[in-house]
Amino acid sequence: QKREISNFDYLMYLNTLAGRSYNDYMQYPVFPWILADYHSETLNLANPQTFRDLSKPMGAQTVERRHKFIQRFSEVEKSEGDLPAQCHYCTHYSSAIIVASYLVRIEPFTQTFCSLQGGSFDVADRMFHSVKSTWESASRDNMSDVRELIPEFFYLPEFLTNANHFELGCMQDGTVLGDVQLPPWADGDPHKFILLHRQALESDYVSAHLHRWIDLIFGYKQHGSAAVEAVNTYHPYFYGDKMDLNNIKDPLIKSTILGFISNFGQIPKQV
């Protein structure tokens, strides 16, 4: 509010308070999708329509998608053993595989991604290849995709280029995977994309609405009745710090929960 700290620095500070760290792929810093415009020739940061709705999670960015997840919530079994299992999302917005997939073009993330995939790259069509199509998947098209972003989207142009010339495969439409496809307003320049994306993060619109996203990820809408109302509840296994694993007697259930958290993501500690 006093313009003494940037939105980027503030988000990094909150991530650190919530236990997120560059040293842990499973609890990597999480940043929001900021923009909803990946098709215009020029980026208009004065137009509210340019931006993503920061008051809603990725699963509720469109009315139709929101209704589908609310319906899922009402249909899911209310408990799983001793745990309440009713939730909107069975996938997470941040996980080791999401982080590695974004950064797959630079080491050491290339090797990390391959090891998580069983030793090789994923099918080309499922690889991170386009900012626009990834946004459309996470905000509209794919019910198992609610991913957010990572800090590198706001400062590291190198992760958008295949400078190491990895053979990432060929998509079904014949497109050979190389550099990440950027929105028209970036003019094919990763440095321009990062510059404009960072300007968007620090814009007046985002400054005025960022607290709503923080409520969802780090604050009071993270769990409980406020989360249900905000269409923001995740499978109980994602809430690692809310479960007392010492009280779970069945070793199979315990190892399943630990494996689930390790592979599929973890809700940040509530700040």
Side-chain angles (χ1 to χ4, degrees), residues 200-254:
L201 178 64
E202 305 300 341
S203 67
D204 289 341
Y205 178 90
V206 172
S207 296
H209 294 86
L210 189 58
H211 65 286
R212 297 185 180 277
W213 182 83
I214 291 168
D215 287 341
L216 295 169
I217 306 299
F218 302 108
Y220 80 104
K221 291 183 179 178
Q222 194 189 75
H223 59 85
S225 58
V228 175
E229 194 175 328
V231 195
N232 192 44
T233 64
Y234 296 81
H235 192 283
Y237 291 176
F238 290 134
Y239 298 87
D241 62 332
K242 294 284 180 287
M243 287 186 295
D244 187 356
L245 291 172
N246 294 323
N247 284 338
I248 298 174
K249 301 290 185 268
D250 189 325
L252 184 62
I253 292 177
K254 194 170 183 175

Short mmCIF file of all heavy atoms in Angstrom, two decimals, residues 200-254:
data_model
loop_
_atom_site.label_atom_id
_atom_site.label_comp_id
_atom_site.label_asym_id
_atom_site.label_seq_id
_atom_site.Cartn_x
_atom_site.Cartn_y
_atom_site.Cartn_z
N ALA A 200 2.70 -6.43 -15.57
CA ALA A 200 1.31 -6.78 -15.24
C ALA A 200 1.19 -7.13 -13.76
O ALA A 200 0.23 -6.72 -13.09
CB ALA A 200 0.87 -7.97 -16.10
N LEU A 201 2.17 -7.87 -13.24
CA LEU A 201 2.16 -8.24 -11.82
C LEU A 201 2.22 -7.00 -10.92
O LEU A 201 1.59 -6.96 -9.86
CB LEU A 201 3.35 -9.16 -11.51
CG LEU A 201 3.52 -9.59 -10.05
CD1 LEU A 201 2.34 -10.44 -9.59
CD2 LEU A 201 4.82 -10.37 -9.87
N GLU A 202 2.96 -5.99 -11.36
CA GLU A 202 3.12 -4.79 -10.55
C GLU A 202 2.10 -3.70 -10.90
O GLU A 202 2.18 -2.58 -10.38
CB GLU A 202 4.54 -4.23 -10.73
CG GLU A 202 5.66 -5.22 -10.44
CD GLU A 202 5.66 -5.76 -9.01
OE1 GLU A 202 5.03 -5.13 -8.13
OE2 GLU A 202 6.28 -6.82 -8.79
N SER A 203 1.13 -4.02 -11.75
CA SER A 203 0.15 -3.02 -12.20
C SER A 203 -0.81 -2.63 -11.07
O SER A 203 -0.96 -3.33 -10.07
CB SER A 203 -0.65 -3.56 -13.38
OG SER A 203 -1.46 -4.66 -12.96
N ASP A 204 -1.49 -1.50 -11.27
CA ASP A 204 -2.45 -1.02 -10.27
C ASP A 204 -3.58 -2.02 -10.07
O ASP A 204 -4.05 -2.24 -8.94
CB ASP A 204 -3.02 0.34 -10.69
CG ASP A 204 -2.00 1.46 -10.56
OD1 ASP A 204 -1.01 1.27 -9.83
OD2 ASP A 204 -2.20 2.52 -11.19
N TYR A 205 -4.04 -2.65 -11.17
CA TYR A 205 -5.14 -3.61 -11.05
C TYR A 205 -4.76 -4.77 -10.14
O TYR A 205 -5.50 -5.15 -9.23
CB TYR A 205 -5.56 -4.15 -12.43
CG TYR A 205 -6.67 -5.17 -12.33
CD1 TYR A 205 -8.01 -4.78 -12.38
CD2 TYR A 205 -6.40 -6.54 -12.15
CE1 TYR A 205 -9.04 -5.71 -12.26
CE2 TYR A 205 -7.42 -7.46 -12.02
CZ TYR A 205 -8.73 -7.04 -12.08
OH TYR A 205 -9.74 -7.96 -11.93
N VAL A 206 -3.60 -5.35 -10.38
CA VAL A 206 -3.16 -6.49 -9.58
C VAL A 206 -2.90 -6.06 -8.13
O VAL A 206 -3.28 -6.77 -7.19
CB VAL A 206 -1.91 -7.16 -10.20
CG1 VAL A 206 -1.34 -8.22 -9.26
CG2 VAL A 206 -2.28 -7.79 -11.54
N SER A 207 -2.31 -4.90 -7.94
CA SER A 207 -2.07 -4.40 -6.59
C SER A 207 -3.37 -4.27 -5.80
O SER A 207 -3.41 -4.51 -4.60
CB SER A 207 -1.36 -3.04 -6.64
OG SER A 207 -0.08 -3.16 -7.23
N ALA A 208 -4.45 -3.91 -6.50
CA ALA A 208 -5.73 -3.71 -5.85
C ALA A 208 -6.49 -5.01 -5.59
O ALA A 208 -7.42 -5.04 -4.78
CB ALA A 208 -6.60 -2.76 -6.69
N HIS A 209 -6.09 -6.10 -6.28
CA HIS A 209 -6.86 -7.35 -6.17
C HIS A 209 -6.05 -8.54 -5.68
O HIS A 209 -6.61 -9.61 -5.41
CB HIS A 209 -7.45 -7.71 -7.54
CG HIS A 209 -8.49 -6.72 -8.02
ND1 HIS A 209 -8.16 -5.58 -8.71
CD2 HIS A 209 -9.84 -6.71 -7.89
CE1 HIS A 209 -9.26 -4.91 -9.00
NE2 HIS A 209 -10.29 -5.57 -8.52
N LEU A 210 -4.75 -8.38 -5.53
CA LEU A 210 -3.88 -9.50 -5.19
C LEU A 210 -4.23 -10.15 -3.85
O LEU A 210 -4.08 -11.36 -3.66
CB LEU A 210 -2.42 -9.05 -5.18
CG LEU A 210 -1.34 -10.12 -5.05
CD1 LEU A 210 -1.45 -11.15 -6.18
CD2 LEU A 210 0.06 -9.49 -5.04
N HIS A 211 -4.73 -9.33 -2.91
CA HIS A 211 -5.07 -9.87 -1.59
C HIS A 211 -6.15 -10.95 -1.66
O HIS A 211 -6.21 -11.84 -0.82
CB HIS A 211 -5.51 -8.74 -0.65
CG HIS A 211 -6.78 -8.06 -1.07
ND1 HIS A 211 -6.82 -7.19 -2.14
CD2 HIS A 211 -8.04 -8.15 -0.58
CE1 HIS A 211 -8.07 -6.75 -2.28
NE2 HIS A 211 -8.82 -7.31 -1.36
N ARG A 212 -6.98 -10.88 -2.69
CA ARG A 212 -8.05 -11.89 -2.82
C ARG A 212 -7.46 -13.26 -3.17
O ARG A 212 -7.93 -14.28 -2.67
CB ARG A 212 -9.05 -11.46 -3.90
CG ARG A 212 -9.78 -10.16 -3.56
CD ARG A 212 -10.84 -9.83 -4.59
NE ARG A 212 -11.54 -8.61 -4.27
CZ ARG A 212 -12.57 -8.50 -3.41
NH1 ARG A 212 -12.98 -9.59 -2.79
NH2 ARG A 212 -13.15 -7.35 -3.21
N TRP A 213 -6.43 -13.27 -4.01
CA TRP A 213 -5.74 -14.53 -4.33
C TRP A 213 -4.97 -15.04 -3.11
O TRP A 213 -4.94 -16.23 -2.83
CB TRP A 213 -4.80 -14.32 -5.52
CG TRP A 213 -4.09 -15.55 -5.96
CD1 TRP A 213 -4.58 -16.54 -6.79
CD2 TRP A 213 -2.76 -15.96 -5.61
NE1 TRP A 213 -3.63 -17.53 -6.98
CE2 TRP A 213 -2.51 -17.20 -6.26
CE3 TRP A 213 -1.76 -15.41 -4.81
CZ2 TRP A 213 -1.30 -17.88 -6.13
CZ3 TRP A 213 -0.56 -16.08 -4.68
CH2 TRP A 213 -0.34 -17.31 -5.34
N ILE A 214 -4.36 -14.12 -2.39
CA ILE A 214 -3.62 -14.49 -1.17
C ILE A 214 -4.56 -15.15 -0.16
O ILE A 214 -4.18 -16.12 0.50
CB ILE A 214 -2.91 -13.25 -0.57
CG1 ILE A 214 -1.78 -12.81 -1.51
CG2 ILE A 214 -2.38 -13.54 0.83
CD1 ILE A 214 -1.21 -11.44 -1.19
N ASP A 215 -5.78 -14.66 -0.05
CA ASP A 215 -6.78 -15.29 0.83
C ASP A 215 -6.99 -16.76 0.46
O ASP A 215 -7.13 -17.62 1.33
CB ASP A 215 -8.13 -14.56 0.74
CG ASP A 215 -8.13 -13.21 1.42
OD1 ASP A 215 -7.24 -12.97 2.25
OD2 ASP A 215 -9.02 -12.39 1.10
N LEU A 216 -7.02 -17.04 -0.84
CA LEU A 216 -7.28 -18.41 -1.33
C LEU A 216 -6.10 -19.34 -1.05
O LEU A 216 -6.30 -20.49 -0.65
CB LEU A 216 -7.55 -18.39 -2.84
CG LEU A 216 -8.79 -17.66 -3.34
CD1 LEU A 216 -8.73 -17.52 -4.86
CD2 LEU A 216 -10.05 -18.42 -2.94
N ILE A 217 -4.90 -18.86 -1.28
CA ILE A 217 -3.72 -19.73 -1.23
C ILE A 217 -3.09 -19.77 0.16
O ILE A 217 -2.70 -20.83 0.65
CB ILE A 217 -2.66 -19.26 -2.26
CG1 ILE A 217 -3.27 -19.17 -3.67
CG2 ILE A 217 -1.45 -20.20 -2.25
CD1 ILE A 217 -3.82 -20.47 -4.23
N PHE A 218 -3.01 -18.62 0.81
CA PHE A 218 -2.31 -18.55 2.10
C PHE A 218 -3.22 -18.17 3.27
O PHE A 218 -2.80 -18.27 4.42
CB PHE A 218 -1.17 -17.51 2.03
CG PHE A 218 -0.16 -17.78 0.96
CD1 PHE A 218 -0.09 -16.99 -0.18
CD2 PHE A 218 0.74 -18.83 1.08
CE1 PHE A 218 0.86 -17.23 -1.16
CE2 PHE A 218 1.69 -19.08 0.10
CZ PHE A 218 1.75 -18.28 -1.02
N GLY A 219 -4.42 -17.72 2.99
CA GLY A 219 -5.25 -17.12 4.03
C GLY A 219 -6.48 -17.89 4.44
O GLY A 219 -6.54 -19.11 4.36
N TYR A 220 -7.53 -17.15 4.83
CA TYR A 220 -8.68 -17.76 5.49
C TYR A 220 -9.57 -18.58 4.55
O TYR A 220 -10.38 -19.40 5.01
CB TYR A 220 -9.50 -16.69 6.21
CG TYR A 220 -10.43 -15.87 5.33
CD1 TYR A 220 -11.81 -16.10 5.32
CD2 TYR A 220 -9.94 -14.85 4.51
CE1 TYR A 220 -12.66 -15.35 4.53
CE2 TYR A 220 -10.78 -14.11 3.71
CZ TYR A 220 -12.14 -14.36 3.73
OH TYR A 220 -12.98 -13.62 2.93
N LYS A 221 -9.43 -18.39 3.24
CA LYS A 221 -10.22 -19.19 2.30
C LYS A 221 -9.51 -20.48 1.89
O LYS A 221 -9.90 -21.15 0.95
CB LYS A 221 -10.55 -18.37 1.04
CG LYS A 221 -11.51 -17.23 1.30
CD LYS A 221 -11.85 -16.49 0.02
CE LYS A 221 -12.83 -15.36 0.27
NZ LYS A 221 -13.15 -14.61 -0.96
N GLN A 222 -8.45 -20.82 2.61
CA GLN A 222 -7.64 -21.99 2.28
C GLN A 222 -8.36 -23.29 2.65
O GLN A 222 -8.20 -24.30 1.97
CB GLN A 222 -6.31 -21.89 3.03
CG GLN A 222 -5.23 -22.83 2.55
CD GLN A 222 -4.03 -22.81 3.49
OE1 GLN A 222 -4.08 -23.36 4.58
NE2 GLN A 222 -2.96 -22.16 3.07
N HIS A 223 -9.12 -23.29 3.72
CA HIS A 223 -9.87 -24.49 4.13
C HIS A 223 -11.05 -24.07 4.99
O HIS A 223 -11.21 -22.90 5.34
CB HIS A 223 -8.96 -25.48 4.88
CG HIS A 223 -8.34 -24.92 6.12
ND1 HIS A 223 -8.96 -24.90 7.33
CD2 HIS A 223 -7.13 -24.34 6.31
CE1 HIS A 223 -8.17 -24.34 8.23
NE2 HIS A 223 -7.06 -23.98 7.63
N GLY A 224 -11.90 -25.05 5.30
CA GLY A 224 -13.09 -24.76 6.11
C GLY A 224 -14.24 -24.23 5.28
O GLY A 224 -14.24 -24.33 4.05
N SER A 225 -15.23 -23.66 5.94
CA SER A 225 -16.45 -23.21 5.26
C SER A 225 -16.17 -22.10 4.24
O SER A 225 -16.82 -22.02 3.19
CB SER A 225 -17.49 -22.73 6.28
OG SER A 225 -16.94 -21.68 7.08
N ALA A 226 -15.19 -21.23 4.54
CA ALA A 226 -14.85 -20.16 3.60
C ALA A 226 -14.29 -20.73 2.30
O ALA A 226 -14.55 -20.20 1.21
CB ALA A 226 -13.83 -19.20 4.23
N ALA A 227 -13.54 -21.84 2.41
CA ALA A 227 -12.99 -22.49 1.21
C ALA A 227 -14.09 -23.14 0.39
O ALA A 227 -14.07 -23.11 -0.84
CB ALA A 227 -11.94 -23.53 1.62
N VAL A 228 -15.05 -23.77 1.07
CA VAL A 228 -16.18 -24.40 0.38
C VAL A 228 -16.95 -23.34 -0.40
O VAL A 228 -17.28 -23.52 -1.58
CB VAL A 228 -17.12 -25.12 1.38
CG1 VAL A 228 -18.35 -25.65 0.66
CG2 VAL A 228 -16.37 -26.25 2.08
N GLU A 229 -17.21 -22.22 0.25
CA GLU A 229 -17.96 -21.13 -0.38
C GLU A 229 -17.19 -20.56 -1.58
O GLU A 229 -17.79 -20.15 -2.58
CB GLU A 229 -18.21 -20.02 0.66
CG GLU A 229 -19.24 -19.01 0.22
CD GLU A 229 -19.55 -18.00 1.32
OE1 GLU A 229 -19.48 -18.37 2.51
OE2 GLU A 229 -19.85 -16.85 0.98
N ALA A 230 -15.87 -20.55 -1.49
CA ALA A 230 -15.03 -19.98 -2.56
C ALA A 230 -14.69 -21.01 -3.64
O ALA A 230 -13.94 -20.70 -4.56
CB ALA A 230 -13.73 -19.43 -1.95
N VAL A 231 -15.26 -22.22 -3.56
CA VAL A 231 -14.95 -23.32 -4.48
C VAL A 231 -13.43 -23.54 -4.49
O VAL A 231 -12.77 -23.52 -5.52
CB VAL A 231 -15.47 -23.04 -5.92
CG1 VAL A 231 -15.47 -24.32 -6.76
CG2 VAL A 231 -16.87 -22.47 -5.89
N ASN A 232 -12.89 -23.77 -3.30
CA ASN A 232 -11.44 -23.80 -3.14
C ASN A 232 -11.00 -24.92 -2.19
O ASN A 232 -10.06 -24.75 -1.41
CB ASN A 232 -10.96 -22.44 -2.60
CG ASN A 232 -9.46 -22.27 -2.68
OD1 ASN A 232 -8.83 -22.62 -3.68
ND2 ASN A 232 -8.86 -21.73 -1.62
N THR A 233 -11.66 -26.08 -2.24
CA THR A 233 -11.25 -27.18 -1.37
C THR A 233 -10.57 -28.28 -2.19
O THR A 233 -10.96 -28.57 -3.31
CB THR A 233 -12.45 -27.80 -0.62
OG1 THR A 233 -13.34 -28.40 -1.57
CG2 THR A 233 -13.19 -26.74 0.19
N TYR A 234 -9.55 -28.87 -1.58
CA TYR A 234 -8.73 -29.89 -2.24
C TYR A 234 -8.82 -31.20 -1.45
O TYR A 234 -9.26 -31.23 -0.31
CB TYR A 234 -7.28 -29.41 -2.34
CG TYR A 234 -7.15 -28.18 -3.22
CD1 TYR A 234 -7.44 -26.91 -2.71
CD2 TYR A 234 -6.81 -28.28 -4.56
CE1 TYR A 234 -7.37 -25.79 -3.52
CE2 TYR A 234 -6.74 -27.16 -5.37
CZ TYR A 234 -7.03 -25.92 -4.85
OH TYR A 234 -6.96 -24.81 -5.66
N HIS A 235 -8.38 -32.26 -2.10
CA HIS A 235 -8.39 -33.57 -1.44
C HIS A 235 -7.69 -33.45 -0.08
O HIS A 235 -6.67 -32.75 0.03
CB HIS A 235 -7.66 -34.59 -2.33
CG HIS A 235 -7.85 -36.01 -1.89
ND1 HIS A 235 -7.16 -36.54 -0.82
CD2 HIS A 235 -8.65 -37.00 -2.36
CE1 HIS A 235 -7.53 -37.80 -0.64
NE2 HIS A 235 -8.43 -38.10 -1.56
N PRO A 236 -8.21 -34.11 0.96
CA PRO A 236 -7.64 -33.94 2.31
C PRO A 236 -6.16 -34.28 2.41
O PRO A 236 -5.45 -33.72 3.25
CB PRO A 236 -8.49 -34.89 3.18
CG PRO A 236 -9.20 -35.79 2.23
CD PRO A 236 -9.39 -35.00 0.99
N TYR A 237 -5.66 -35.16 1.55
CA TYR A 237 -4.25 -35.52 1.61
C TYR A 237 -3.34 -34.34 1.28
O TYR A 237 -2.16 -34.33 1.65
CB TYR A 237 -3.93 -36.67 0.64
CG TYR A 237 -4.53 -38.01 1.03
CD1 TYR A 237 -4.39 -39.11 0.20
CD2 TYR A 237 -5.23 -38.18 2.22
CE1 TYR A 237 -4.93 -40.35 0.53
CE2 TYR A 237 -5.78 -39.40 2.57
CZ TYR A 237 -5.63 -40.49 1.72
OH TYR A 237 -6.17 -41.70 2.06
N PHE A 238 -3.87 -33.34 0.54
CA PHE A 238 -3.06 -32.18 0.19
C PHE A 238 -2.78 -31.29 1.40
O PHE A 238 -1.86 -30.49 1.39
CB PHE A 238 -3.74 -31.33 -0.89
CG PHE A 238 -3.79 -31.99 -2.25
CD1 PHE A 238 -4.96 -32.00 -2.99
CD2 PHE A 238 -2.66 -32.59 -2.79
CE1 PHE A 238 -5.01 -32.59 -4.25
CE2 PHE A 238 -2.71 -33.18 -4.04
CZ PHE A 238 -3.89 -33.18 -4.78
N TYR A 239 -3.63 -31.41 2.44
CA TYR A 239 -3.47 -30.58 3.63
C TYR A 239 -2.56 -31.31 4.62
O TYR A 239 -2.98 -31.75 5.68
CB TYR A 239 -4.83 -30.29 4.27
CG TYR A 239 -5.78 -29.52 3.37
CD1 TYR A 239 -6.60 -30.18 2.46
CD2 TYR A 239 -5.84 -28.13 3.43
CE1 TYR A 239 -7.47 -29.48 1.63
CE2 TYR A 239 -6.71 -27.42 2.60
CZ TYR A 239 -7.52 -28.10 1.70
OH TYR A 239 -8.37 -27.41 0.89
N GLY A 240 -1.28 -31.42 4.23
CA GLY A 240 -0.34 -32.22 5.01
C GLY A 240 -0.23 -31.80 6.46
O GLY A 240 -0.18 -32.64 7.36
N ASP A 241 -0.22 -30.48 6.72
CA ASP A 241 -0.03 -30.03 8.09
C ASP A 241 -1.30 -30.12 8.93
O ASP A 241 -1.28 -29.90 10.13
CB ASP A 241 0.50 -28.58 8.11
CG ASP A 241 -0.47 -27.60 7.48
OD1 ASP A 241 -1.24 -28.01 6.60
OD2 ASP A 241 -0.46 -26.42 7.87
N LYS A 242 -2.43 -30.44 8.27
CA LYS A 242 -3.69 -30.56 9.02
C LYS A 242 -3.93 -32.00 9.49
O LYS A 242 -4.85 -32.26 10.26
CB LYS A 242 -4.87 -30.14 8.12
CG LYS A 242 -4.87 -28.67 7.76
CD LYS A 242 -5.32 -27.83 8.93
CE LYS A 242 -5.33 -26.37 8.59
NZ LYS A 242 -3.99 -25.78 8.49
N MET A 243 -3.12 -32.93 9.00
CA MET A 243 -3.30 -34.33 9.36
C MET A 243 -2.25 -34.75 10.37
O MET A 243 -1.07 -34.45 10.21
CB MET A 243 -3.19 -35.23 8.12
CG MET A 243 -4.39 -35.14 7.21
SD MET A 243 -4.26 -36.33 5.89
CE MET A 243 -2.85 -35.72 5.02
N ASP A 244 -2.71 -35.45 11.41
CA ASP A 244 -1.77 -35.99 12.40
C ASP A 244 -1.42 -37.42 11.98
O ASP A 244 -2.14 -38.37 12.30
CB ASP A 244 -2.41 -35.96 13.79
CG ASP A 244 -1.41 -36.36 14.87
OD1 ASP A 244 -0.26 -36.71 14.51
OD2 ASP A 244 -1.77 -36.32 16.06
N LEU A 245 -0.33 -37.54 11.23
CA LEU A 245 0.05 -38.85 10.70
C LEU A 245 0.39 -39.85 11.81
O LEU A 245 0.29 -41.06 11.62
CB LEU A 245 1.24 -38.71 9.74
CG LEU A 245 0.95 -37.99 8.42
CD1 LEU A 245 2.23 -37.75 7.65
CD2 LEU A 245 -0.02 -38.80 7.57
N ASN A 246 0.77 -39.34 12.98
CA ASN A 246 1.12 -40.22 14.10
C ASN A 246 -0.09 -40.99 14.62
O ASN A 246 0.05 -42.05 15.24
CB ASN A 246 1.73 -39.40 15.25
CG ASN A 246 3.07 -38.80 14.86
OD1 ASN A 246 3.84 -39.42 14.14
ND2 ASN A 246 3.33 -37.58 15.30
N ASN A 247 -1.29 -40.44 14.38
CA ASN A 247 -2.51 -41.10 14.85
C ASN A 247 -3.06 -42.10 13.85
O ASN A 247 -4.05 -42.77 14.13
CB ASN A 247 -3.58 -40.06 15.18
CG ASN A 247 -3.29 -39.36 16.50
OD1 ASN A 247 -2.56 -39.90 17.34
ND2 ASN A 247 -3.83 -38.17 16.68
N ILE A 248 -2.46 -42.16 12.64
CA ILE A 248 -2.93 -43.12 11.64
C ILE A 248 -2.18 -44.43 11.84
O ILE A 248 -0.97 -44.52 11.63
CB ILE A 248 -2.72 -42.57 10.22
CG1 ILE A 248 -3.55 -41.29 10.04
CG2 ILE A 248 -3.13 -43.60 9.17
CD1 ILE A 248 -3.30 -40.58 8.72
N LYS A 249 -2.91 -45.42 12.28
CA LYS A 249 -2.27 -46.69 12.68
C LYS A 249 -1.94 -47.59 11.49
O LYS A 249 -0.94 -48.30 11.50
CB LYS A 249 -3.20 -47.45 13.65
CG LYS A 249 -3.53 -46.67 14.92
CD LYS A 249 -2.29 -46.54 15.81
CE LYS A 249 -2.63 -45.88 17.13
NZ LYS A 249 -2.45 -44.45 17.11
N ASP A 250 -2.77 -47.54 10.46
CA ASP A 250 -2.57 -48.43 9.31
C ASP A 250 -1.36 -47.95 8.50
O ASP A 250 -1.39 -46.86 7.91
CB ASP A 250 -3.83 -48.43 8.43
CG ASP A 250 -3.78 -49.49 7.34
OD1 ASP A 250 -2.67 -49.74 6.82
OD2 ASP A 250 -4.83 -50.05 7.00
N PRO A 251 -0.28 -48.73 8.44
CA PRO A 251 0.94 -48.29 7.73
C PRO A 251 0.71 -48.08 6.23
O PRO A 251 1.36 -47.24 5.60
CB PRO A 251 1.94 -49.43 7.98
CG PRO A 251 1.11 -50.62 8.35
CD PRO A 251 -0.10 -50.07 9.03
N LEU A 252 -0.22 -48.84 5.64
CA LEU A 252 -0.51 -48.69 4.21
C LEU A 252 -1.15 -47.34 3.94
O LEU A 252 -0.76 -46.63 3.00
CB LEU A 252 -1.44 -49.83 3.74
CG LEU A 252 -1.74 -49.85 2.23
CD1 LEU A 252 -0.45 -50.05 1.43
CD2 LEU A 252 -2.73 -50.95 1.90
N ILE A 253 -2.12 -46.96 4.78
CA ILE A 253 -2.78 -45.66 4.62
C ILE A 253 -1.77 -44.53 4.83
O ILE A 253 -1.72 -43.55 4.09
CB ILE A 253 -3.96 -45.51 5.60
CG1 ILE A 253 -5.08 -46.49 5.23
CG2 ILE A 253 -4.50 -44.08 5.60
CD1 ILE A 253 -6.26 -46.48 6.18
N LYS A 254 -0.91 -44.71 5.83
CA LYS A 254 0.09 -43.69 6.15
C LYS A 254 1.06 -43.48 4.98
O LYS A 254 1.34 -42.35 4.57
CB LYS A 254 0.86 -44.12 7.40
CG LYS A 254 1.68 -43.02 8.04
CD LYS A 254 2.18 -43.48 9.40
CE LYS A 254 2.96 -42.39 10.10
NZ LYS A 254 3.34 -42.79 11.47
#
